[in-house]
Amino acid sequence: MPELPEVEALKDFLTDHLVGHEIVRALPVAISVLKTYDPPLTALEGHQVVAVRRYGKFLDVETDGGAHLVTHLARAGWLQWKDRLPDGPPRPGKGPLALRVALETGAGFDLTEAGTQKRLAVYVVADPQQVPGVARLGPDPLADDFDEARLAALLRDERRQLKGALRDQSLIAGVGNAYSDEILHAAKMSPFKLAASLTPEETRRLYEALRTTLTDAVERSRGLAAGRLKAEKKSGLRVHGRTGEPCPVCGDTIREVSFSDSSLQYCPTCQTGGKPLADRRLSRLLK
């Protein structure tokens, strides 16, 4: 799933490639991807792109006609840029193509989604805050005003485990499954530690890990073409998706806890005092 760093890089890429250009066609291929109907998708056509913004994991393309194209790539969605789009309209079918946006130059992008769980979402709205997922977002962890005191206030009454709290978009915007693993590894904290139990020193460590992990990932992705961002994300991960490999910090074997629709990875030596976590739902640290 694209998370804050990848969506930030896509925002920068699209700013360079879209702003100042006219959208001449916005063609839905999978009707299920459209989550709004008023204004229609055609409200984008004939208008120039004036800005591209990021809200958490949402991308917002604003036009001078007032309509915004807001996209959430979900777990298996992606944006594929093409310097020259194929001639002729795309054909609906069973392939991954969900939406095509064409510019006056002949360039444009496709929104695609792999797999059978179709969660890619596209909205056309007059204001991004009309998108429910945007309206409920918590603060952006890379914003200038997101400081250690802000994080402490957010976690003070959280009776959830840190892994779940970091992934809650209404608490902190933009962090998903992969980067929550990376942040907790950098902070040397168990994913099952209760958020409200952090000491001031632990809060400081978590804040520094949060900002550093995300900032470094954004910098690694900056300037890359859209098609290279997935590979860059994977190559930069230290524990997530690396079950069975040695921890790059201490050399211990990276372990995994599996859930019904996701999994987390961690290093026992770095994060749980050398003790493995029980690999079952709602498991607790083995004592």
Side-chain angles (χ1 to χ4, degrees), residues 12 38 137 169 258:
D12 291 344
D38 185 22
L137 287 174
Q169 300 304 293
S258 298

Side-chain angles (χ1 to χ4, degrees), residues 67-201:
H68 294 248
L69 177 68
V70 180
T71 302
H72 190 285
L73 294 170
R75 175 170 293 184
W78 196 245
L79 185 147
Q80 298 185 358
W81 178 262
K82 299 181 184 297
D83 291 327
R84 183 72 191 182
L85 288 169
D87 295 330
R91 295 181 179 180
K94 296 183 179 180
L97 182 58
L99 183 83
R100 174 166 290 168
V101 174
L103 304 180
E104 89 286 357
T105 60
F109 64 86
D110 289 339
L111 294 179
T112 62
E113 185 172 25
T116 58
Q117 294 185 350
K118 301 302 183 183
R119 298 177 180 175
L120 176 68
V122 173
Y123 309 80
V124 181
V125 291
D127 183 339
Q129 293 300 318
Q130 293 173 324
V131 177
V134 173
R136 73 177 182 87
L137 287 174
D140 192 293
L142 293 187
D144 291 341
D145 63 352
F146 190 89
D147 56 14
E148 185 179 329
R150 186 86 180 271
L151 178 63
L154 290 171
L155 299 180
R156 186 172 296 123
D157 298 321
E158 276 294 327
R159 304 306 302 173
R160 291 178 293 176
Q161 297 165 343
L162 278 174
K163 173 74 174 181
L166 288 175
R167 293 185 63 187
D168 183 349
Q169 300 304 293
S170 65
L171 190 72
I172 299 172
V175 178
N177 194 32
Y179 286 108
S180 57
D181 282 352
E182 297 298 299
I183 291 163
L184 290 169
H185 178 256
K188 300 185 180 300
M189 292 182 186
S190 168
F192 292 160
K193 185 176 182 64
L194 290 181
S197 70
L198 295 188
T199 66
E201 167 60 20

